C-alpha cells in the first residue's frame, strides 16, 4: 500500500469514526481542551455557522442518530407517523448524549423540527434554545426581517459566549466558511467530473466530519481529502450517473449510500447535508457582514423544498441534472418527510418533462434492510445502461 | 374547520342560520365566474377575510372543502385520485383531498362547481404544509399567488419585528396584488368597518365559548364548537351575517344556561354531564358523528378545545382593532393557535383544564397534521403533571377514513373514562 493510499484510508477511517460517534467525542474533546469553551447545536438544515464561530463557540450540526442510536425513550415522544430524526435526537438528548451542547438552534424547515424546538424548551428549560425563522419572503422585506432576527440571535450568542460578536471577527469567520464552501464545491466538482475518484460514500463522511469539527480543522481535512482522492489510482467503471434528491434533513444511513453505489450508480450530485451548500458561492466581504450573510442567503440560496418557490418548480433541478450530465434521478426521501414528499410530485413532473428517468424510494435514518433498494437502484441503473431510459 | 354537513343534527335556530349562510356562500361561489367576481383560495389560520371583503373578493377555503367532503364521505376517492398521481401516503390528507377534488372537476362538497381562483392567497401561518399546498395549486391554476409569511412564535411571544414583517408584506406584497387582481384601490376605511364588525362578533363568540364554565355546560366546545367557529373562521368574519349569527347563538346559549340544559347534540340534549373534558387536536371529519356519539354515550362534554382556536384566539382578549387595521391583522395572524410554541400551547391547555374545571384532558392526534401532532405526547405528560388530572390519547386522521378505527377509539375512550372514575373514587376516599 502506498503512503498516500494509507493516508487516504486513515483520513477516511477518522471521518467514519466521527460519523458513527453519537457521543460527540470530538466536540467534548474540543470543549475540554480549554476551560470556558462552548458548543451550540444546530438542527437541519441551515443556519449561518459563522455567527457561532465568531462568538468563539463551536457550531455542531445535529442530524439525528442514524443507525447508531437505539431508540427506546424517543419513541415515547412521537407518534408512528412522524419521521425518525426527532426520535433519535430526543433519545440522545434524554440520555445525555447532547449534554455538551450549551444551546440549540432550530431552523425553520418543517412543523416537526419547529415543534421539537418547543419540546426542547419544555424538557431542558435551563439550556437556551432558539427557533430561527428563515424568511420565505425573498425580497427586501424578508431581508430586513431576517437581518433583525439574526441581530437578536447575534446578541444572544454573544451573551452566551460572554462577549459581543464584533464585525471584524465575524468577517474572519465568514472568510473561513467561504473557504469551507469553496472546498466542498470543489469536491462536488471533482465527483461530477470523475465520480470514481470521489465516491459519495467517502465524500459524505468527509463532509459530515464538518458537523463536529472546528471549521479550520475541517478545511484542512477537505484539502487533504481532495489531494489524496484526486491522486488515487482508481478507474472508471460503467456506472449510471444519478442524482439523489430529497435527503437534505434526516440522512440516509451510510450503508444506503454504499448500496446505491454498489447497485451500479455514480451519485454525481445530491442534497445530502444541504446546509453546507445551501448558499451558492461566497458571502462577500462587506462593512456589514451580518446583512451580507442575509443578503447572500436571500439572493443565492439553492432551490430547496423548505423554501417558498411557487414558480418554475423543478427548473433548477433540471438545470442541475443537465449540468452534471445525469442519466437519472433517485428520489430518496425519508418516510414522513413533509417538505421532501410534498415537493416530490412537482419535481417528478419537471424531470419527466425533461425526459430524464427517475425512480423513488423512502428510508429512515436507521433503515437496516437494503436488499430491496439495491434491487431497485440496480434495475434502474441497468435500464439506463441497457436502453438509455428507465 | 367547522360547518354543519347536510346531516340532520339537533338544531337551534343559530344552526339553521349557519346552514343557510354556508349554502348561500357556496351558491355565490358557484355563480362567481359568470358574475365576474374575484375569488381567493386561502387558508383558515391567519385568514385575511376582512381584507378580501374590502376588495369584494370571495374567499374559498380548501380546508373547509376537504372537511366538508369528508363529512359527505367523498374524501376517500379524492385522496385515492391524488395518490394515483404520485402524492405520498405519508402527507397531509387535506392536500390530497383538495387536489383530488380539483382533478375531478372541482365540484365542491355541495355539488356545485367551485370557481377557479383569481388569486391564491397563501397565508403561511402555523403550518408548513400550507406553503407546499399552494405551490402545488399554483401548478394547477394560471393565476397570481400572494404569499404572507407569518413568523412562528418560537420564543413564546409575537415580537415587534414579527409584526412589522407581516405588516410590510401586507402593504408591499399582498395589497398590491389584490389591487391588481380586482382593479380596485385599497380602501382602509372599508377594511376598518369590517374589522369593527369582527370585533363585535368576537365578543359574542367568546361569551359562547366561556359559557362552558357553567355546570352543566350549555355547549360542547369541540363537536359543537366546530359549528360555532364556522362563520368566524371562514368567509363571514367581518360581515353583518356573522354578527347576527353570534348574537343569536349567544342568546340561545343564555337560554340554555337559564334552563339548566346541557349541550345540544345529534342525539338531542345531553341529559347528564358526567365528564368535563378539554380536547387538543382537530376532529376526525370522516367519522365526526360516530366520535361525538361515543362522547355522548359516556355523558362526556368538551368544555374547551384548542381546535376552536386555530382560526384565531379570542378568549385571551384579542380583538380585531379597526383603529390599527393592518397591525391588528398581523397580530391576529401571529396569534393563531398553531403558531404558538409548545410551552405556550401547554400553558393554554393547563389554564383551560383549571378555568373550566375539567376532569381531564384528551388528545385526538391526527396523522395528517404534524403542526398539531408533533409534541402532543409531551404536552399530554406536562398537562397531567401540572394539573394532576388524567390525560388520554387516541389517533385518527382529518379526512382519510382509512385511519379511523372505531372499535379502537371506543376502547381507548372507555378505558380513559374508567381512569377518570378511578381518580374520582380515590379523591372521594381521601376526603
Amino acid at each position: 500500500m502506498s503512503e498516500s493510499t494509507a493516508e487516504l484510508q486513515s483520513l477516511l477511517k477518522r471521518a467514519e469514526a466521527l460519523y458513527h460517534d453519537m457521543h460527540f467525542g470530538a466536540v467534548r474533546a474540543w470543549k475540554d481542551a480549554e476551560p470556558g469553551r462552548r458548543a451550540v447545536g444546530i438542527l437541519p438544515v441551515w443556519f449561518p455557522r459563522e455567527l457561532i464561530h465568531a462568538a468563539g463557540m463551536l457550531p455542531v450540526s445535529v442530524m439525528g442518530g442514524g443507525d447508531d442510536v437505539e431508540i427506546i425513550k424517543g419513541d415515547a415522544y412521537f407518534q408512528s407517523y412522524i419521521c425518525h430524526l426527532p426520535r433519535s435526537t430526543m433519545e440522545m438528548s434524554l440520555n445525555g448524549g447532547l449534554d455538551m451542547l450549551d444551546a440549540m438552534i432550530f431552523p425553520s424547515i418543517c412543523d416537526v423540527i419547529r415543534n421539537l424546538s418547543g419540546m426542547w424548551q419544555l424538557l431542558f428549560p435551563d439550556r437556551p434554545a432558539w427557533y430561527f425563522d428563515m424568511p420565505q419572503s425573498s425580497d427586501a422585506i424578508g431581508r430586513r426581517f431576517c437581518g433583525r432576527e439574526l441581530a437578536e440571535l447575534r446578541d444572544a450568542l454573544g451573551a452566551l459566549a460572554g462577549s459581543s460578536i464584533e464585525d471584524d471577527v465575524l468577517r474572519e469567520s465568514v472568510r473561513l466558511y467561504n473557504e469551507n464552501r469553496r472546498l466542498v464545491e470543489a469536491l462536488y466538482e471533482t465527483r461530477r467530473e470523475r465520480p470514481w475518484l470521489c465516491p459519495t460514500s467517502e465524500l459524505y463522511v468527509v463532509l459530515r466530519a464538518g458537523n463536529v469539527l472546528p471549521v479550520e480543522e475541517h478545511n484542512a481535512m477537505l484539502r487533504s481529502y481532495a489531494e489524496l482522492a484526486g491522486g488515487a489510482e482508481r478507474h472508471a467503471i460503467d456506472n449510471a450517473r444519478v442524482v439523489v434528491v430529497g435527503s437534505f434533513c434526516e440522512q440516509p444511513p451510510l450503508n444506503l449510500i454504499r448500496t446505491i453505489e454498489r447497485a451500479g450508480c455514480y451519485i454525481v450530485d445530491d442534497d445530502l447535508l444541504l446546509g453546507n451548500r445551501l448558499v451558492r458561492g461566497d458571502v462577500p466581504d462587506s462593512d456589514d457582514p451580518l446583512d451580507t450573510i442575509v443578503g447572500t442567503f436571500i439572493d443565492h440560496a439553492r432551490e430547496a423544498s423548505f423554501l417558498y418557490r411557487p414558480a418554475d418548480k423543478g427548473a433548477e433541478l433540471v438545470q442541475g441534472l443537465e449540468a452534471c450530465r445525469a442519466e437519472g434521478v433517485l428520489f430518496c426521501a425519508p418516510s414522513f418527510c413533509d417538505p421532501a414528499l410534498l415537493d416530490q410530485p412537482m419535481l417528478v413532473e419537471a424531470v419527466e418533462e425533461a425526459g430524464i428517468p427517475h425512480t423513488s424510494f423512502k428510508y429512515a435514518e436507521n433503515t437496516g434492510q437494503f436488499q430491496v433498494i439495491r434491487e431497485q437502484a440496480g434495475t434502474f441503473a441497468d435500464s439506463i445502461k441497457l436502453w438509455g431510459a428507465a | 374547520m367547522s360547518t354543519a354537513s347536510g346531516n340532520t343534527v339537533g338544531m337551534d335556530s343559530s344552526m339553521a342560520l349557519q346552514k343557510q349562510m354556508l349554502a348561500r356562500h357556496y351558491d355565490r361561489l358557484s355563480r362567481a365566474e359568470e358574475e365576474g367576481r374575484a375569488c381567493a383560495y386561502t387558508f383558515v389560520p391567519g385568514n385575511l377575510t376582512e381584507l378580501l371583503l374590502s376588495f369584494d373578493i370571495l374567499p374559498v377555503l380548501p380546508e373547509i372543502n376537504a372537511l366538508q367532503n369528508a363529512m359527505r364521505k367523498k374524501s376517500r376517492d379524492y385522496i385515492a385520485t391524488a395518490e394515483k398521481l404520485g402524492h405520498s401516503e405519508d402527507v397531509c390528507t387535506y392536500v390530497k383531498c383538495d387536489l383530488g377534488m380539483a382533478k375531478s372537476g372541482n365540484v365542491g362538497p355541495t355539488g356545485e362547481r367551485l370557481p377557479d381562483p383569481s388569486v391564491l392567497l397563501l397565508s403561511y401561518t402555523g403550518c408548513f404544509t400550507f406553503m407546499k399546498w399552494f405551490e402545488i395549486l399554483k401548478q394547477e391554476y394560471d393565476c397570481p399567488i400572494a404569499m404572507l409569511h407569518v413568523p412562528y412564535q418560537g420564543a413564546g411571544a409575537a415580537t415587534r419585528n414579527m409584526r412589522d414583517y407581516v405588516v410590510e408584506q401586507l402593504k408591499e406584497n399582498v395589497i398590491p396584488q389584490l389591487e391588481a387582481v380586482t382593479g380596485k384601490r385599497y380602501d382602509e376605511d372599508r377594511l376598518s368597518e369590517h374589522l369593527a364588525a369582527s370585533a363585535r362578533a368576537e365578543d359574542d363568540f367568546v361569551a359562547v365559548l366561556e359559557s362552558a364554565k357553567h355546570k352543566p355546560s350549555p355547549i360542547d366546545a369541540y363537536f359543537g364548537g366546530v359549528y360555532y367557529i364556522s362563520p368566524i373562521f371562514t368567509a363571514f368574519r367581518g360581515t353583518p351575517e356573522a354578527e347576527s349569527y353570534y348574537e343569536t347563538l349567544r342568546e340561545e346559549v343564555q337560554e340554555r344556561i337559564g334552563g339548566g340544559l346541557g349541550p345540544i347534540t345529534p342525539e338531542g340534549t345531553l341529559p347528564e354531564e358526567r365528564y368535563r373534558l378539554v380536547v387538543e387536536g382537530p376532529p376526525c371529519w370522516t367519522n365526526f358523528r360516530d366520535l361525538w356519539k361515543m362522547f355522548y354515550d359516556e355523558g362526556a362534554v368538551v368544555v374547551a378545545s384548542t381546535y376552536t382556536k386555530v382560526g384565531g384566539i379570542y378568549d385571551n382578549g384579542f380583538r380585531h382593532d379597526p383603529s390599527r387595521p393592518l397591525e391588528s391583522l398581523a397580530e391576529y395572524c401571529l396569534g393563531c393557535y398553531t403558531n404558538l410554541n409548545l410551552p405556550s400551547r401547554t400553558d393554554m391547555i393547563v389554564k383551560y383544564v383549571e378555568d373550566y374545571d375539567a376532569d381531564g384532558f384528551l388528545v385526538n392526534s391526527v396523522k395528517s397534521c404534524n403542526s398539531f401532532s408533533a409534541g402532543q405526547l409531551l404536552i399530554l405528560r406536562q398537562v397531567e403533571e401540572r394539573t394532576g388530572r388524567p390525560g388520554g390519547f387516541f389517533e385518527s386522521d382529518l379526512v382519510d377514513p382509512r385511519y379511523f378505527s372505531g372499535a379502537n377509539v371506543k376502547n381507548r375512550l372507555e378505558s380513559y373514562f374508567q381512569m377518570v372514575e378511578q381518580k374520582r373514587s380515590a379523591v372521594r376516599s381521601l376526603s
Side-chain angles (χ1 to χ4, degrees), chain B residues 244-297:
Chain B
S244 167
Y245 168 79
Y246 284 103
E247 274 174 30
T248 306
L249 177 63
R250 186 174 182 173
E251 284 164 14
E252 283 172 3
V253 168
Q254 280 304 320
E255 282 173 24
R256 299 188 78 78
I257 292 170
L261 295 172
I264 197 155
T265 80
E267 322 303 321
T269 295
L270 185 75
E272 184 195 0
E273 178 182 286
R274 295 181 62 210
Y275 305 106
R276 295 170 62 83
L277 302 173
V278 171
V279 171
E280 146 82 9
C284 166
W285 299 108
T286 51
N287 296 76
F288 184 80
R289 289 275 296 271
D290 302 328
L291 197 55
W292 196 348
K293 175 86 164 45
M294 289 179 201
F295 279 63
Y296 174 87
D297 288 345

Side-chain angles (χ1 to χ4, degrees), chain A residues 81 115 133 148 305 309 336, chain B residues 90 132 135 152 161 365 374:
Chain A
Y81 49 79
N115 287 8
D133 223 331
R148 293 187 294 247
S305 62
R309 184 72 67 98
F336 305 109
Chain B
D90 289 357
K132 307 315 293 180
E135 284 181 355
Y152 181 64
N161 185 33
S365 174

Side-chain angles (χ1 to χ4, degrees), chain B residues 171-191:
Chain B
K171 280 182 182 166
E172 295 178 39
N173 292 343
V174 175
I175 289 173
Q177 292 216 54
L178 298 183
E179 287 180 328
V181 164
T182 59
K184 293 178 180 173
R185 297 280 296 171
Y186 168 58
D187 182 344
E188 192 153 286
D189 292 338
R190 199 167 166 209
L191 172 60

Side-chain angles (χ1 to χ4, degrees), chain A residues 26 39 80 93 100 134 141 161 197 228 238 290 305 379-380 387:
Chain A
S80 56
S93 307
M100 75 297 174
M134 285 186 277
I141 303 170
L197 288 182
L228 295 167
D238 190 26
L290 191 64
S305 62
T379 305
F380 184 65
W387 300 297

